[in-house]
Amino acid sequence: MTREVTPPRIVVDPENGVAPWRQVRDQLVHLVRTGALPVGTRLPAIRQLAGDLGLAAGTVARVYRELEAAGVLRTARRAGTVVAAVPAQPVADPLGDLAADYAARAAALGADPRTAADAVLAAWPGDVPDRPPVAGPSWHDS
């Protein structure tokens, strides 16, 4: 049995420095943990929730994918996305969360990605190996 959640009880604050996808993810997890969204509750479609929150559909899709991977949500073609389980452990990736917070705050200050990365490297304790990160463009490239 599924229950439709209308309207979503999620608020995105573009001024708080936390990435919108993370705000949505954290609030969904909180609603599931507190029982406000019990197991079996049907969530709005990605486009519907994105429209309600004033976000891009890709932002909400990212949240749904991440929570599906964590086992919190389940999506079936005709049934939509439903709450599958209450998360037993934190869903968050601590390093990813710190990076997202830092990136959002650096961008809010007007820093570009290269300047933000250089600030991290300058603040890093100890020596930083002279090699690019594992994924993405090299911060040494000009």
Side-chain angles (χ1 to χ4, degrees):
M1 178 165 150
T2 61
R3 287 169 243 162
E4 188 78 32
V5 176
T6 315
R9 293 170 278 188
I10 297 169
V11 177
V12 175
D13 178 4
E15 303 299 320
N16 79 356
V18 177
W21 70 267
R22 184 164 173 232
Q23 292 182 51
V24 174
R25 182 203 64 196
D26 291 351
Q27 290 179 58
L28 280 174
V29 168
H30 175 75
L31 291 169
V32 171
R33 279 202 174 117
T34 61
L37 289 176
V39 171
T41 301
R42 184 175 177 185
L43 298 181
I46 289 170
R47 286 189 178 126
Q48 176 65 48
L49 184 55
D52 291 347
L53 297 175
L55 299 173
T59 300
V60 174
R62 175 182 180 177
V63 172
Y64 279 22
R65 278 192 312 270
E66 185 174 313
L67 293 178
E68 283 180 51
V72 176
L73 301 181
R74 180 183 65 245
T75 300
R77 287 192 185 264
R78 295 193 175 187
T81 301
V82 297
V83 176
V86 176
Q89 302 174 13
V91 174
D93 164 26
L95 185 57
D97 288 346
L98 287 171
D101 284 344
Y102 175 71
R105 291 176 187 208
L109 291 172
D112 61 84
R114 181 182 309 273
T115 302
D118 287 345
V120 169
L121 291 173
W124 199 263
D127 292 334
V128 176
D130 190 23
R131 62 182 169 88
V134 174
S138 170
W139 38 264
H140 287 290
D141 295 341
S142 4

